[in-house]
Amino acid sequence: MSRDERRLTSFDVAAKAGVSQSTVSRALSGSPTITEATRTRVIEAARELGYVVDERAARLRSGKSKTIAVVVIGRAGQGAASVNPFYYSLLGSVCTAAAQRGYQALVSIQSEPEHFFGQFIERGQADAVVVLGTATNREAWRYFDDYRETQARMAFWGSPFDGPGYVRSDNKAGARLAVERLVQGGYKRIGFIGETDGAQRQFRERYEGYCETLEAAGLPCFDAVTASGETREAQGAGAVKALLAQKTGYDAVFSACDAMALGALTALREADKSVPGDFGVIGFDGLGVGAHSSPPLTTIEPDFAEAGLNLVEAALGGADEDRDRRVSVHLVERASAR
Amino acid sequence: MSRDERRLTSFDVAAKAGVSQSTVSRALSGSPTITEATRTRVIEAARELGYVVDERAARLRSGKSKTIAVVVIGRAGQGAASVNPFYYSLLGSVCTAAAQRGYQALVSIQSEPEHFFGQFIERGQADAVVVLGTATNREAWRYFDDYRETQARMAFWGSPFDGPGYVRSDNKAGARLAVERLVQGGYKRIGFIGETDGAQRQFRERYEGYCETLEAAGLPCFDAVTASGETREAQGAGAVKALLAQKTGYDAVFSACDAMALGALTALREADKSVPGDFGVIGFDGLGVGAHSSPPLTTIEPDFAEAGLNLVEAALGGADEDRDRRVSVHLVERASAR
DNA sequence: CTGAAAGCGCTTACAG
DNA sequence: CTGAAAGCGCTTACAG
């Protein structure tokens, strides 16, 4: 209720409980070497005084920080407004997963080269760092890919690079789910939109899954179609136009990401193709906005809670733990495939 | 490159630069009492060694933490998945605003009563705390409303409560923009959906702005219409159905929030009302998903960057600064009003 | 302008 | 099981 002038310390609690300061520390930190009676007395004294330990001191002394630094990469020149909902959801999952493991989350949104910073562990502020965000900010990813040479306890999502600590969706399984769903809907000539060059490793994996599934189904798979554009949506719209112009007789597309799929939907509407009747579309990412498009977008969604847990574990585990971490995905049935 | 076994300290830098440890500290912290020549030498030594100050020690000693704790309130029983994109954007803006003022952001997502926790300042982890999130988690807001009795340096967004430190949109101005836009579109019987009882102070303000603007335009204003439902969208859809059933001849609605407006759009489509031809809809919040609804939703959006800055300043300023902080809003012209 | 010293509030060997 | 003491790595009076 009242605001004390002097900060309460463990000595105040010790005095009140009639024990030494070290006993207070042990009692409050859950040391097993303390009698239950003593512990209760100390906890009660602390409660009455409104005392909580000063984490700066506790962490300095113990050498730990019980914190995970989470760096969210945005588009250069745009800041927080450029972070898409997918990464915010992932951020939320990481914070939650960290809390479940007893860690706090120090969040930093980084877009500009002059502010790239990763030395949270060296500053004693974090025990591990998770980096996530748009693959399009190449400079940022280059910075963190270099930086990881100096630190093992890191994990990544969204990077165009690869290596230990990189966590991602099970892209092939996702592609399979999507393409099988399209096949099951009776579509015969299924295209793929999204670039498959080095930039987006995830996209390449989705493309591979697309081809494999189609081949297994005895259906033809086609070259990936792309188009340039400012935004992912413009790219998706352009790709669908290009694909329609090909006159291969496409009747469906699997899009490498939802943002492009949304653009595809717009282009299809303009081309008077009815979705899902004439043409099927399935995206990838599980963006919430897809639920409001017309028609609502059927998509592949990674399990966010699992993604958060994987990122936290990979970061805490360090580079030693060199396994390929794949997050499971599932089909979100909406209305863009018949 | 190499991973040192022993942590580097300011003594190592001192030895390398040929100065005392206190000089290293002063040089690196930007103390004006240091010669430029000395500072350069120290900085260079630190750079070569790869030294950065241990913030736990620096903050313990200085008594500051240069951190803002950001608590994001989710729906009980649902966690991070229940945090909507609006609050994630706000979270991002707060992190960015904090960084601009030289603060870091410690983020904690809280949904369950047993994990409500606000004592970041007492733990020495933050200099101020910002709480934001859904007004529907009453218990959480009650907790933080109680907690603020013990701490001045707090700011809030989304609370059903009121008082110093509560930051919100300029709701009346927003309502005016929306209703004037509807009037300008030629709509004559404009309804309001959203509850106006105590729960959502923001909604009441929007309703008041709605009435005032309509009266000023010489048009009738009506009682707010609501409907119960699991989600905001279901509530919006229900409200529109109820409103259509009234046969007052409504030809537009101003919705207290976008989520309800999205539901309204669905209900209107089902009722074969063409939007914006037969019926106009304008929401409030600026949700990104509104850009993909059919038709895309015209809405009122608060300035997120300004909101973040306001929250950070209000929190840092403490309760002394007892002014009513209003964040400016603007009309996002999309296609649900002719 | 710089150095030697104290001390922030804890945790953790070291004794008993 | 508990206490007295050292020390984590800084910042900041206090001197000079």
Side-chain angles (χ1 to χ4, degrees):
Chain A
M1 222 43 15
S2 71
R3 285 166 200 164
D4 301 287
E5 35 318 273
R6 195 177 59 77
R7 166 177 277 278
L8 284 170
T9 74
S10 46
F11 284 97
D12 299 309
V13 179
K16 177 147 188 139
V19 294
S20 74
Q21 181 268 333
S22 21
T23 296
V24 170
S25 174
R26 291 193 188 96
L28 263 25
S29 67
S31 159
T33 165
I34 292 286
T35 314
E36 256 337 287
T38 310
R39 192 193 306 282
T40 311
R41 196 142 43 88
V42 170
I43 289 177
E44 180 54 20
R47 205 192 53 68
E48 279 176 28
L49 292 172
Y51 167 83
V52 288
V53 318
D54 186 311
E55 290 294 330
R56 291 170 297 205
R59 293 168 180 192
L60 169 60
R61 185 51 239 251
S62 71
K64 289 168 187 133
S65 64
K66 279 293 176 185
T67 299
I68 290 182
V70 189
V71 175
V72 180
I73 294 183
R75 290 169 195 274
Q78 296 182 71
S82 68
V83 176
N84 76 42
F86 178 86
Y87 289 111
Y88 274 131
S89 290
L90 200 52
L91 168 63
S93 303
V94 171
C95 292
T96 300
Q100 282 167 3
R101 303 226 7 190
Y103 286 78
Q104 296 190 303
L106 187 67
V107 176
S108 138
I109 297 180
Q110 303 189 14
S111 306
E112 311 310 319
E114 58 272 32
H115 293 124
F116 292 160
F117 180 86
Q119 304 179 80
F120 298 97
I121 299 175
E122 293 83 343
R123 290 213 283 199
Q125 293 201 108
D127 299 312
V129 5
V130 169
V131 186
L132 53 89
T134 173
T136 60
N137 193 335
R138 309 284 298 182
E139 276 195 88
W141 286 109
R142 203 151 23 228
Y143 171 88
F144 284 101
D145 199 57
D146 282 354
Y147 175 66
R148 70 194 297 234
E149 298 294 316
T150 70
Q151 277 296 342
R153 314 195 95 189
M154 299 189 75
F156 309 83
W157 182 295
S159 172
F161 301 114
D162 194 13
Y166 289 96
V167 179
R168 32 175 85 75
S169 289
D170 188 341
N171 292 308
K172 283 207 179 177
R176 181 159 20 85
L177 284 174
V179 174
E180 279 173 357
R181 176 64 186 76
L182 253 10
V183 170
Q184 174 199 319
Y187 301 101
K188 300 293 181 204
R189 301 185 74 77
I190 305 167
F192 179 94
I193 60 176
E195 67 272 16
T196 54
D197 53 17
Q200 269 277 37
R201 182 186 204 274
Q202 313 237 62
F203 285 14
R204 197 168 54 246
E205 293 178 355
R206 290 169 199 174
Y207 179 71
E208 286 164 11
Y210 150 85
C211 284
E212 287 169 17
T213 310
L214 245 17
E215 279 161 17
L219 254 24
C221 89
F222 305 91
D223 285 349
V225 181
T226 58
S228 57
E230 268 287 287
T231 63
R232 281 283 179 211
E233 298 181 27
Q235 291 165 19
V240 157
K241 273 178 210 151
L243 176 147
L244 256 25
Q246 281 185 221
K247 301 288 180 205
T248 316
Y250 287 106
D251 58 1
V253 284
F254 168 41
S255 170
C257 72
D258 277 359
M260 286 186 3
L262 258 10
L265 253 22
T266 308
L268 286 163
R269 192 164 38 239
E270 286 169 5
D272 273 326
K273 291 274 184 187
S274 113
V275 177
D278 299 344
F279 206 98
V281 178
I282 296 187
F284 203 116
D285 276 348
L287 290 198
V289 315
H292 299 281
S293 58
S294 56
L297 181 67
T298 297
T299 183
I300 303 298
E301 178 178 78
D303 183 312
F304 282 99
E306 188 184 325
L309 241 14
N310 261 284
L311 283 164
V312 167
E313 276 169 16
L316 251 17
D320 313 327
E321 205 180 329
D322 199 0
R323 61 198 181 89
D324 190 25
R325 286 181 176 268
R326 292 291 170 169
V327 173
S328 40
V329 297
H330 58 271
L331 178 74
V332 179
E333 216 27 286
R334 290 203 283 241
S336 59
R338 66 178 174 231
Chain B
M1 229 30 30
S2 70
R3 281 160 205 165
D4 299 289
E5 32 324 270
R6 197 178 57 76
R7 168 175 278 280
L8 284 170
T9 72
S10 46
F11 283 98
D12 299 310
V13 179
K16 175 145 188 139
V19 295
S20 73
Q21 182 270 334
S22 22
T23 296
V24 170
S25 174
R26 289 191 189 99
L28 262 25
S29 68
S31 158
T33 163
I34 292 286
T35 315
E36 254 342 285
T38 309
R39 190 191 308 281
T40 310
R41 197 142 43 91
V42 170
I43 289 177
E44 180 55 19
R47 205 191 52 69
E48 280 177 28
L49 292 172
Y51 167 84
V52 289
V53 317
D54 186 311
E55 290 293 329
R56 291 170 297 204
R59 292 167 181 191
L60 169 59
R61 184 52 238 253
S62 71
K64 288 166 188 138
S65 63
K66 278 293 178 184
T67 299
I68 291 182
V70 189
V71 175
V72 179
I73 294 182
R75 292 169 194 274
Q78 295 182 69
S82 68
V83 175
N84 76 41
F86 178 86
Y87 290 111
Y88 274 131
S89 290
L90 200 52
L91 168 62
S93 303
V94 171
C95 291
T96 300
Q100 283 168 2
R101 302 225 7 188
Y103 286 78
Q104 296 189 304
L106 187 67
V107 175
S108 139
I109 298 181
Q110 303 189 13
S111 306
E112 311 311 319
E114 59 271 33
H115 293 124
F116 292 160
F117 180 85
Q119 303 180 77
F120 299 97
I121 299 176
E122 293 82 342
R123 290 213 285 198
Q125 293 200 107
D127 300 312
V129 6
V130 169
V131 186
L132 52 91
T134 173
T136 60
N137 193 335
R138 310 285 296 182
E139 277 194 85
W141 286 108
R142 200 148 31 225
Y143 171 88
F144 284 101
D145 199 57
D146 283 354
Y147 176 65
R148 71 196 296 238
E149 299 293 317
T150 69
Q151 277 296 343
R153 312 194 93 186
M154 297 189 77
F156 309 83
W157 182 295
S159 173
F161 300 113
D162 195 13
Y166 288 96
V167 179
R168 31 175 84 75
S169 290
D170 188 341
N171 291 309
K172 284 210 178 174
R176 181 158 20 84
L177 284 173
V179 174
E180 280 174 353
R181 175 65 186 75
L182 253 11
V183 170
Q184 174 200 318
Y187 301 101
K188 300 292 182 206
R189 301 185 74 78
I190 304 167
F192 179 95
I193 61 176
E195 68 271 16
T196 54
D197 53 19
Q200 268 278 34
R201 182 185 204 273
Q202 313 237 63
F203 285 12
R204 197 167 56 247
E205 292 177 356
R206 289 168 200 175
Y207 179 72
E208 287 165 11
Y210 151 86
C211 285
E212 288 170 15
T213 310
L214 244 19
E215 279 162 16
L219 252 26
C221 89
F222 305 91
D223 285 348
V225 180
T226 58
S228 57
E230 269 286 287
T231 63
R232 280 282 179 211
E233 298 180 27
Q235 290 165 21
V240 156
K241 273 179 209 150
L243 175 149
L244 254 26
Q246 281 186 221
K247 302 286 181 203
T248 316
Y250 286 107
D251 59 1
V253 284
F254 168 42
S255 169
C257 71
D258 277 359
M260 286 184 6
L262 256 11
L265 252 23
T266 307
L268 286 163
R269 192 165 38 237
E270 286 169 6
D272 272 326
K273 291 276 187 187
S274 112
V275 177
D278 299 344
F279 206 98
V281 177
I282 296 187
F284 203 115
D285 277 347
L287 289 200
V289 314
H292 299 280
S293 58
S294 58
L297 181 66
T298 297
T299 184
I300 303 297
E301 178 178 79
D303 184 313
F304 281 100
E306 187 183 325
L309 242 14
N310 260 285
L311 283 164
V312 168
E313 276 168 18
L316 251 15
D320 314 327
E321 204 179 330
D322 199 359
R323 60 200 182 88
D324 190 24
R325 286 180 177 268
R326 291 292 171 168
V327 173
S328 39
V329 296
H330 59 271
L331 179 73
V332 179
E333 208 40 279
R334 290 202 284 240
S336 61
R338 67 183 172 227

